[in-house]
Amino acid sequence: MRQSHFFVQTLREVPAEAEVPSHRLMLRAGMIRQVVSGVYSYLPLGYRVLRKIEAIVREEMDRAGAQEVLLPAVQPASLWQESGRWDDYGKELLRFEDRHERMLVLGPTHEEVITDLVRTEVRSYRQLPVTLYQIQTKFRDEVRPRFGVMRAREFIMKDAYSFDVDEEGLDRSYRAMYQAYEQIFRRCGLEFRVVQADPGAIGGEGGSHEFMVLSEVGEDTILVCPACDYAANVELASGKVAGEDGRRSVSEKERFLTPGAKTIEELRDRYGLDPETIIKVLVYRVDDRPVAVAIRGNDEVNEVKLKRLLGARRVELADEETVRALTGTGFGSVGPMNLNMPLVVDDAVASMPEGVAGGNEPDVHYRHVVPGRDFNWDSRGDIRTARAGDRCVRCGAPLEEYRGIEVGHVFKLGTKYSEALSASFLDERGVQRPVIMGCYGIGVSRLIAAAVEQHHDDKGIMWPMPIAPFHVHVLPVNLKDAAQRDAAEQLYTRLENAGIEVLLDDRDERPGVKFNDADLMGIPIQLIVGKRISEGLVEMKRRKTGEVTLLSPDEAVRAAVEAVRSV
Amino acid sequence: MRQSHFFVQTLREVPAEAEVPSHRLMLRAGMIRQVVSGVYSYLPLGYRVLRKIEAIVREEMDRAGAQEVLLPAVQPASLWQESGRWDDYGKELLRFEDRHERMLVLGPTHEEVITDLVRTEVRSYRQLPVTLYQIQTKFRDEVRPRFGVMRAREFIMKDAYSFDVDEEGLDRSYRAMYQAYEQIFRRCGLEFRVVQADPGAIGGEGGSHEFMVLSEVGEDTILVCPACDYAANVELASGKVAGEDGRRSVSEKERFLTPGAKTIEELRDRYGLDPETIIKVLVYRVDDRPVAVAIRGNDEVNEVKLKRLLGARRVELADEETVRALTGTGFGSVGPMNLNMPLVVDDAVASMPEGVAGGNEPDVHYRHVVPGRDFNWDSRGDIRTARAGDRCVRCGAPLEEYRGIEVGHVFKLGTKYSEALSASFLDERGVQRPVIMGCYGIGVSRLIAAAVEQHHDDKGIMWPMPIAPFHVHVLPVNLKDAAQRDAAEQLYTRLENAGIEVLLDDRDERPGVKFNDADLMGIPIQLIVGKRISEGLVEMKRRKTGEVTLLSPDEAVRAAVEAVRSV
């Protein structure tokens, strides 16, 4: 491709709206342009990268035995009502009416549509297992789209769905997708971690993993054990923090006054209490019933875990008025004793030898409060948010914390959708049974942003070869010099004939402009044709390392072909 | 691909809702399934065909120098308001609000989005010409979706847009797309005609052609000259019918009574009048003003032509009450004389020596009414619908009529969108000028249906090789016969290794079921492995011709490879 004809305009200015490097660089390099909040056009440079990633995804899906389909973006509301997600999904599900006043949605995901398809097509165990996938445009009406294509409203996703006769089949299908995902992200040149994850709105109880590209700008926090293979999204990560149950204090509980202290910080600063020894009690509305939740003063309630522990659909903090009506006191002195509502305690609280707790009257706390002696609970479990320094639940090593960009997510759905939509098959004995499902997503467009986050410097992008928009950027320094121009043209032609994707900067621009644009666009190999062509030499620069080699044009062609082929 | 694992279910029953062969066969072969009215899922068999067509389209677009982009499905209403189509487009434009109550549309086409892109990216004539294209999902809220993917609401389109500095540039870009289209449809194995067309809702005044696949079930009527290259959609086709202007009758006009005759048929049947000699006058509302329109009694008003002649946005027939108020009489005796509203006459009327016309009083007509003597007009032109038997306007040969499926449409837009959205560039002399645009669409998903319409028989589909879902169907007649099974497996492996796409029917089904399914699915070459494998022979059947050859497996592999490669 000749750059003079290529539809790409680099920007020198850093766009004000772009907060993260990938968004800035994708805009500056001319890969994408915003059409409306969270909705982008892909320009030729960006689209080439998208197609490369799609091709890798497709190859690995096919290799794993998945079959490609194409489901529609527009879906009938009725399927979402059947699955129950019409009510559960919230405002990210964009709903609208057609001209005949039928309710439709723009698909944020396709469990309903694919389950509907399978229930009409599959009758017998002989047709199973099968895994279907598509690469397709989705829409989620994010309340705050940001970071360019990383959290867009319209985006491209690869979603796959597996259908099996039993759990062992699901395990096999899940493993095949899991391995294909590792292979995809490796081939895209990404450093990633697989972590245990919360199934969220997709649902299913059989297990779930996220594929996280490690990056400072990632919106997810993950906890990783450096000693074993434990890794989990903070939404459900566990960390050991406290001693064993059983060692209990023998001191009697003791009332004391704490005027003016409504927060853990105030109790610490004014009364010298260690937050780790405080039993903090919060009142939640759980599916509209009040529930008290006890955690340590230095911990945070993890609402995802709380929801799972209680099997709840919705949990939210109660307001102070509600708290006062229920406990007789406001925020700051609520405690676990003598409550007239269910109490849920975190494992770390349950195993405290003793603690300081609110007295359920204003400005009153108690010391030497012993869990199990001074108060009991209706439910206990791991409901705190784990953090760096907690001990690994598997091996005890201190956990480390990273930020990650979720680029893939696999779920064991089980029968959540097949039961709701009656997708069943006849087994070998003629018994009707629901199909066992898994689902598997990759944010194809988000992958581009994740790759840029991991592969850039202050000058621009540094594409890994397998997903680079072009392999080689040929840069004649001075087009008016016939020797330079001719040598560049020859390199261009020879490389293209060898099947290499080449961008030839045949623009009549100053060398500085060309070099800056080339570094910004980030094509892996730059072949710079300058004055030393008179000695029969061109410069080959590796964008990633900055390494420059002087080569003859013949050698340069050979080296470039080798660099491309070796990937 | 082994058919036992392939996600495809053929249907023996003809689906009741399918009115045309392509719809019936695509459903029966398991290519598509409806999700909601006019919205389909593509199953693996259908998706493979879609991908083949996409690949051909992409190759020819790239060869023609177009660059691929990807624009979003969701578009802001503001762009449509800017272009004026927010008001003009009607209910096919699906409009909805997002969670922040911003109006959006599901893109039925992308002139606005691409013009918006170009106005921000293009500054100088040096950046032009450029042609951008995409293969993308569109939505048009058709009032009556039908014929499966032929007239769907959600569909896949290749749309391209060219941007030039002047009309000569547009001519070049237009020609390049036109030729690429011919090449695409030829490669897809389609018999088609290119016809002059009405630009419709896309607009532009510079000319427009449609690519019509000839088919009985086509929704368009086209008129074709067998002697020269004239061909046009009936929406704007011209046909010569009448004599020269100038030969006028000298008889005085003569009043006569026609009680009980309100229609041309009644005038013919009761009073022996030849419809060709009757001057029929209809009253239209043209952009809400009344206009009388005169055509011959045996002709129909072509509202597309009428709109163009009058430069109107909307034309519709007035109701009888309005007609009575304006003319003093009801339907059946309205005439061209003494009207108190503008009169438009068709060329065929204007050149009549004399005619019979209504008298604008109930049950009264006049004979010997001479155009230009007994009445005059405000406007004249070709506003009748041409038909088979009319004389070609170029060479005089009688026109022939065909039905066509519109699979491609090219438009010279000129500056319609660039002026509305201020997409301009600086020319060589530093003068700001609007870019000159063309746009070019192919109904990629509709092409599948069109191909099936042209390539089927009563047993099923007969795919042209370049767009076939697989090249070869290997059919072991009896799987329990080890010799047959092994020979089939070997053929499968050898063909796949040779790069041929093979479907192996390894299902344990009766031979009749296998043969019927194979004929239904329409893979071009069937290799049938039956009893004669004991003599070292297999049958090679060409689906299209039904021709069967007995070959050794070696010869069969060679013949299949050759048949695939020779395309």
Side-chain angles (χ1 to χ4, degrees), chain B residues 425-442:
Chain B
F425 66 97
L426 289 178
D427 70 11
E428 294 93 325
R429 297 182 312 272
V431 179
Q432 194 99 353
R433 286 164 50 192
V435 292
I436 314 289
M437 290 174 57
C439 82
Y440 315 93
I442 288 180

Side-chain angles (χ1 to χ4, degrees), chain B residues 272-418:
Chain B
L273 297 169
D274 178 356
E276 199 174 313
T277 67
I278 299 174
I279 298 168
K280 176 166 71 177
V281 175
L282 302 163
V283 179
Y284 274 85
R285 302 194 66 82
V286 175
D287 293 340
D288 295 325
R289 292 177 309 109
V291 171
V293 174
I295 52 163
R296 299 187 310 171
N298 61 334
D299 284 334
E300 298 295 330
V301 173
N302 180 317
E303 295 183 358
V304 171
K305 290 183 182 177
L306 181 62
K307 242 161 111 173
R308 287 166 68 93
L309 178 68
L310 301 179
R313 280 172 60 176
R314 198 164 45 228
V315 304
E316 50 184 346
L317 275 171
D319 58 22
E320 189 154 16
E321 205 176 327
T322 309
V323 171
R324 208 178 293 277
L326 287 163
T327 65
T329 186
F331 291 157
S333 45
V334 179
M337 295 170 289
N338 307 316
L339 287 166
N340 55 2
M341 64 187 129
L343 175 65
V344 180
V345 306
D346 181 55
D347 284 334
V349 167
S351 61
M352 282 164 88
E354 63 165 49
V356 172
N360 290 328
E361 50 180 316
D363 302 335
V364 171
H365 277 79
Y366 285 85
R367 341 192 131 76
H368 309 310
V369 175
V370 175
R373 181 191 73 182
D374 298 318
F375 64 93
N376 278 299
W377 46 81
D378 302 277
S379 174
R380 76 171 262 191
D382 173 15
I383 53 171
R384 66 183 278 280
T385 298
R387 56 177 178 262
D390 288 358
R391 300 280 156 177
C392 175
V393 287
R394 293 211 187 125
C395 75
L399 296 177
E400 295 171 358
E401 192 175 301
Y402 297 93
R403 306 290 291 172
I405 302 167
E406 181 196 336
V407 290
H409 201 159
V410 294
F411 304 83
K412 290 188 182 173
L413 296 173
T415 56
K416 173 176 161 137
Y417 295 91
S418 54

Side-chain angles (χ1 to χ4, degrees), chain A residues 68, chain B residues 1 6 43-53 467-470 501-502:
Chain A
E68 192 165 5
Chain B
M1 173 61 70
F6 192 50
L43 277 55
L45 191 72
Y47 192 62
R48 291 180 75 98
V49 177
L50 191 62
R51 293 267 299 161
K52 292 270 175 96
I53 295 175
I467 62 172
F470 294 92
E501 298 166 23
V502 190

Side-chain angles (χ1 to χ4, degrees), chain B residues 80-91:
Chain B
W80 288 73
Q81 286 152 351
E82 232 181 307
S83 74
R85 289 207 292 180
W86 180 257
D87 295 321
D88 291 353
Y89 208 92
K91 285 194 169 179

Side-chain angles (χ1 to χ4, degrees), chain B residues 72-268:
Chain B
V74 170
Q75 310 178 2
S78 55
L79 287 176
W80 288 73
Q81 286 152 351
E82 232 181 307
S83 74
R85 289 207 292 180
W86 180 257
D87 295 321
D88 291 353
Y89 208 92
K91 285 194 169 179
E92 282 182 26
L93 180 64
L94 201 145
R95 302 150 209 241
F96 57 93
E97 277 187 356
D98 68 11
R99 67 192 295 165
H100 299 302
E101 294 172 12
R102 275 173 302 210
M103 282 306 291
L104 300 171
V105 309
L106 266 186
T109 173
H110 280 73
E111 283 78 13
E112 282 80 0
V113 170
I114 198 97
T115 309
D116 177 48
L117 176 65
V118 163
R119 74 175 158 185
T120 64
E121 301 298 305
V122 169
R123 292 270 163 269
S124 154
Y125 71 95
R126 283 193 206 87
Q127 295 168 264
L128 300 173
V130 66
T131 296
L132 302 173
Y133 80 98
Q134 62 171 346
I135 297 175
Q136 189 259 3
T137 299
K138 301 217 175 332
F139 194 92
R140 289 183 192 168
D141 200 2
E142 299 277 354
V143 64
R144 200 160 74 89
R146 57 184 185 149
F147 298 172
V149 297
M150 203 183 300
R151 185 163 294 278
R153 294 198 293 169
E154 181 169 327
F155 58 99
I156 296 166
M157 190 166 161
K158 188 287 301 174
D159 44 329
Y161 306 87
S162 66
F163 302 89
D164 280 277
V165 299
D166 54 25
E167 292 292 337
E168 293 72 51
L170 171 58
D171 286 346
R172 272 190 300 274
S173 300
Y174 189 85
R175 202 157 46 239
M177 284 296 112
Y178 188 111
Q179 287 165 353
Y181 276 34
E182 291 184 310
Q183 191 59 17
I184 288 165
F185 300 128
R186 256 198 296 270
R187 286 183 62 188
C188 289
L190 296 168
E191 195 191 336
F192 64 97
R193 287 297 300 240
V194 192
V195 305
Q196 291 175 20
D198 172 50
I202 305 292
E205 284 304 318
S208 174
H209 288 91
E210 285 166 344
F211 292 75
M212 290 285 184
V213 167
L214 302 183
S215 161
E216 283 169 16
V217 306
E219 296 183 283
D220 286 277
T221 301
I222 62 176
L223 288 166
V224 174
C225 177
C228 72
D229 64 352
Y230 183 77
N233 193 308
V234 73
E235 287 177 347
L236 93 175
S238 296
K240 273 196 296 196
V241 286
E244 305 292 305
D245 286 22
R247 294 182 299 109
R248 300 297 188 190
S249 167
V250 292
S251 314
E252 281 305 299
K253 75 172 194 282
E254 179 189 321
R255 189 171 186 269
F256 67 107
L257 295 180
T258 50
K262 290 196 73 177
T263 65
I264 297 296
E265 290 66 36
E266 286 162 345
L267 285 171
R268 181 191 62 202

